[in-house]
Amino acid sequence: MTIRFKKIPLYVLAVLLLIFTGFPFLYMISTALKSRSEFFEKPFAMFSSFNLENFQSVFEMGLTRYFLNSALVSIVAVFAVMIIASLASYPLSRMKFKMNKVLFLLFISGMMLPIHATLIPIFKLSQSMGIFDTLWALLGPYIAFSLPISIFILTQFMQEIPKSLEEAAKIDGCNHFGIFWRVILPMLTPALMTVLIYNFIHLWNEFIFALVLISSPESMTLPLGLQDFKGEFSVNIPGLMAALTVASLPILVVYLFSQEKVVKGLAGGAVKE
Amino acid sequence: METHVEVTDTRTIVKSTTKTKSKKLKSAITIGLFVAPALIVYTLYVLYPIFTTFIYSFYDWDGMGVGTYVGLQNYLDLLKDAIFWKSLTNNTWVVFTSVFAQIPLGLIMALMLFAPIKGIKFFSSIYFFPFLMSTVAVGLLWVLMFDPINGMINQLVNVFGFENIAWLSEPNTALFAVLLVIVWQFAPFYMILFKAAIVGIPEELYEAAEIDGASSITKFFHITFPLLMPTIVSSSILAIVGSLKAFDIFYIMTGGGPNHGTELLGTYMFKQAFINFNMGYASAIAFVMFFLALLVTILIQTMDYYRKKRGAYV
């Protein structure tokens, strides 16, 4: 009995934290399921109704377009980053050359960089390249700003791969590309998963480049589109909440199916082993 | 005969030196091919823009055509700009909140994950939710929660017998409200960092302490806390650097208002650049942000270097 009694404060704290972290979600979903009139009658009633109309109207308002744009640009950028970063990480972690350390520091110092320091030149650049206000404009900055963390994760991982494997391949007549392709890359899967999850979540939610480089609704990504919804929905809060729910759903689904991987992926960049 | 031998000798020597040279060249080309794609993208979208921002900051320029060179005028104006100082102060508030609220809360949440209570797996899944949500969605959701009439927060305030508060329309309450949201969103991130660190603490230490009759509080302050110090330090670095970059949530929730009450370097730079089209002045603000981030990084690296040199690195 005494042990159980001792645990009560722990349960109280756990539940308080649960309310603090989880309640806004419940509020968002339960509001999304209300009709507009219901919301004005009883805005605080939880799950008083189950009304999917809002979701339907949100998709009719163009959310599908934003959703597809976000999916397209983040998937393409993430795969490009996975290829480019693992290529660069190979000599940085496994070959000795003069500029090695300098190059490595140059890449990973990007993690500390405020994006604002690059905004105006990238804005001008995308205008002069004629890709301003298209998804192409986002691709370059998305890849470039994902490189530092990705190279950091991949080089850390590659250093752990035993040198003997590489030497065996060398004896068999493999050149560096062969070693990279046949020996290193197949062993890289866990690190690449981390890179994939980390970058996908960040790019799916990316806001500031989209805000600066995109202006027309056809090219808007989800975060930018949502921010645009704000005005249209000033009278339709349940509709706005439905849009927010839809926008948060993909990441939450991925998380619920592979929690361990997502948590590891998100910590991957920050936790030094 | 003799000359012939000599010739072949020099030939082999020449051959072997060209061989090492060509081998070197070959490996340089190999390295180049591996690094080139990353380096090109990185140079085009990161290195070159920073350099260009620095150049722009010496110009009076509206973003069209060529600007007028004004030397250090933008920086001098910045020193006299009250909004710039207000923004810097607010950025400092974000730093303090991150270090003294987010990190401790993250630590408490991480410790809870190891508490001997039922359903902790469920708890931990939910605790992580806020960090997964897009910042834009977080911002819009909390704007509604802080709504003076339809908002959940005022409902709670009423329960405690207070009047409705127009949270986001008063400079002071607005700053408090946004900082609260930042804590809500990012505490889970520090939770997972601490969780990883706590898992790494050897169980034997606790067992030994238990044999010595240590209470859970003693165990926390004598084992857990000291061994988490490196994580606390690296979390603080992330928090400080992250705070300098803060933008999204402020832009969504308040846009830097009311009356610059929640203005940050990031939001001020954005407004000057893309609303007022003072691109030169905005570049100066952006370069100050870059410089501060660089300064913090160098400072921390130097401290880390001496810490390691002293051998105090855990």
Side-chain angles (χ1 to χ4, degrees):
Chain A
M1 271 321 272
T2 46
I3 294 169
R4 263 195 204 161
F5 186 71
K6 259 186 177 169
K7 280 182 186 171
I8 288 177
L10 282 180
Y11 276 107
V12 170
L13 187 60
V15 169
L16 279 179
L17 285 172
L18 191 71
I19 294 170
F20 180 65
T21 50
F23 181 76
F25 281 93
L26 280 186
Y27 184 58
M28 173 175 82
I29 295 165
S30 98
T31 308
L33 294 171
K34 281 176 190 164
S35 71
R36 246 193 281 181
S37 54
E38 250 179 303
F39 176 74
F40 282 112
E41 276 164 33
K42 33 183 180 177
F44 309 111
M46 297 300 280
F47 294 102
S48 54
S49 62
F50 193 84
N51 190 330
L52 290 175
E53 254 169 60
N54 293 314
F55 289 94
Q56 204 185 334
S57 69
V58 151
F59 278 108
E60 279 161 12
M61 304 263 339
L63 198 79
T64 323
R65 186 67 193 253
Y66 305 148
F67 200 92
L68 291 177
N69 281 344
S70 268
L72 187 68
V73 76
S74 29
I75 289 170
V76 172
V78 166
F79 277 97
V81 167
M82 284 163 71
I83 296 164
I84 295 175
S86 38
L87 277 173
S89 301
Y90 175 72
L92 289 177
S93 62
R94 303 189 72 85
M95 284 168 81
K96 274 189 187 152
F97 59 99
K98 258 188 203 160
M99 295 290 284
N100 192 319
K101 193 115 203 211
V102 178
L103 265 178
F104 178 69
L105 281 177
L106 195 68
F107 276 123
I108 65 160
S109 60
M111 281 194 267
M112 299 288 183
L113 192 76
I115 285 175
H116 285 80
T118 66
L119 275 184
I120 295 174
I122 290 179
F123 170 74
K124 294 307 286 181
L125 189 70
S126 74
Q127 278 184 334
S128 58
M129 284 161 87
I131 54 173
F132 179 73
D133 200 16
T134 67
L135 289 179
W136 291 105
L138 296 178
L139 213 51
Y142 280 8
I143 295 170
F145 277 87
S146 305
L147 281 176
I149 186 78
S150 309
I151 288 178
F152 181 72
I153 294 169
L154 290 168
T155 47
Q156 298 281 88
F157 192 86
M158 277 190 204
Q159 275 162 359
E160 306 295 317
I161 298 174
K163 203 88 183 162
S164 54
L165 284 174
E166 199 174 302
E167 271 147 22
K170 233 179 221 168
I171 292 164
D172 290 346
C174 262
N175 60 11
H176 279 295
F177 288 98
I179 295 169
F180 173 75
W181 188 252
R182 297 217 177 94
V183 182
I184 305 289
L185 210 54
M187 300 187 73
L188 219 53
T189 320
L192 283 174
M193 276 305 286
T194 308
V195 169
L196 186 139
I197 291 168
Y198 184 93
N199 289 320
F200 181 74
I201 292 177
H202 279 260
L203 294 181
W204 180 265
N205 293 335
E206 201 284 331
F207 180 59
I208 187 162
F209 277 125
L211 182 65
V212 169
L213 299 174
I214 303 291
S215 60
S216 54
E218 301 88 68
S219 310
M220 280 184 181
T221 57
L222 208 44
L224 197 59
L226 283 184
Q227 125 91 6
D228 219 39
F229 268 12
K230 191 181 159 189
E232 277 179 59
F233 277 121
S234 58
V235 283
N236 184 2
I237 288 166
L240 180 61
M241 290 298 121
L244 298 187
T245 309
V246 170
S248 310
L249 224 51
I251 306 269
L252 286 178
V253 168
V254 173
Y255 173 66
L256 290 176
F257 279 103
S258 55
Q259 256 187 63
E260 285 299 306
K261 280 211 177 86
V262 171
V263 169
K264 229 183 233 165
L266 280 173
V271 178
K272 276 191 198 167
E273 300 289 337
Chain B
M1 274 311 269
E2 237 187 80
T3 38
H4 182 73
V5 168
E6 249 187 55
V7 168
T8 44
D9 265 352
T10 38
R11 256 193 197 161
T12 46
I13 288 163
V14 168
K15 216 177 164 188
S16 72
T17 50
T18 47
K19 210 177 176 185
T20 51
K21 249 190 187 167
S22 75
K23 211 178 170 189
K24 249 189 179 170
L25 189 70
K26 218 180 139 195
S27 87
I29 290 173
T30 312
I31 292 166
L33 284 174
F34 271 110
V35 180
L39 198 59
I40 290 168
V41 179
Y42 195 68
T43 308
L44 190 62
Y45 285 103
V46 178
L47 302 178
Y48 161 78
I50 292 170
F51 175 73
T52 320
T53 295
F54 182 59
I55 303 293
Y56 286 164
S57 72
F58 299 114
Y59 284 83
D60 179 19
W61 181 47
D62 64 357
M64 303 291 179
V66 193
T68 335
Y69 178 78
V70 291
L72 286 171
Q73 195 55 47
N74 284 329
Y75 291 96
L76 293 175
D77 288 346
L78 214 51
L79 291 177
K80 285 179 279 180
D81 186 344
I83 302 170
F84 168 73
W85 291 109
K86 178 78 190 159
S87 307
L88 202 59
T89 318
N90 286 340
N91 270 95
T92 319
W93 275 112
V94 182
V95 171
F96 275 115
T97 314
S98 307
V99 176
F100 296 108
Q102 270 173 27
I103 293 179
L105 183 64
L107 179 57
I108 291 171
M109 285 161 83
L111 289 170
M112 280 311 292
L113 302 184
F114 295 89
I117 55 177
K118 270 180 199 150
I120 202 64
K121 236 191 163 141
F122 167 72
F123 285 115
S124 71
S125 314
I126 306 293
Y127 288 176
F128 196 57
F129 266 26
F131 188 62
L132 295 168
M133 217 173 150
S134 119
T135 307
V136 175
V138 168
L140 293 177
L141 174 60
W142 280 90
V143 166
L144 175 63
M145 306 256 302
F146 279 114
D147 191 275
I149 301 153
N150 294 320
M152 204 74 215
I153 309 266
N154 271 346
Q155 191 71 9
L156 200 69
V157 165
N158 289 341
V159 169
F160 289 103
F162 293 100
E163 295 280 305
N164 277 358
I165 299 169
W167 291 97
L168 297 174
S169 349
E170 286 289 328
N172 287 329
T173 51
L175 185 63
F176 172 79
V178 186
L179 290 175
L180 178 78
V181 177
I182 285 188
V183 172
W184 181 78
Q185 196 190 6
F186 289 101
F189 173 67
Y190 297 102
M191 173 184 84
I192 54 168
L193 296 191
F194 283 122
K195 187 191 172 194
I198 294 171
V199 168
I201 299 176
E203 194 59 39
E204 299 93 66
L205 289 176
Y206 293 106
E207 283 162 14
E210 248 159 59
I211 291 166
D212 292 343
S215 69
S216 15
I217 292 169
T218 332
K219 276 190 281 182
F220 175 75
F221 281 106
H222 286 93
I223 302 172
T224 318
F225 194 71
L227 286 176
L228 287 181
M229 216 48 212
T231 314
I232 294 174
V233 171
S234 58
S235 302
S236 306
I237 296 169
L238 287 171
I240 293 168
V241 176
S243 307
L244 285 172
K245 303 193 226 177
F247 175 79
D248 295 12
I249 205 90
F250 282 79
Y251 181 82
I252 301 291
M253 285 186 71
T254 63
N259 194 22
H260 303 292
T262 58
E263 203 74 81
L264 298 179
L265 293 177
T267 54
Y268 191 42
M269 181 272 168
F270 177 82
K271 279 181 198 167
Q272 287 293 357
F274 300 104
I275 292 168
N276 303 340
F277 291 98
N278 281 330
M279 295 267 185
Y281 196 56
S283 294
I285 303 171
F287 196 74
V288 169
M289 291 173 77
F290 169 74
F291 183 74
L292 289 175
L294 191 73
L295 206 69
V296 170
T297 311
I298 290 173
L299 210 70
I300 289 163
Q301 292 295 334
T302 326
M303 272 162 55
D304 200 45
Y305 174 76
Y306 282 108
R307 207 159 53 109
K308 273 180 186 161
K309 211 177 171 187
R310 276 205 324 263
Y313 196 72
V314 188

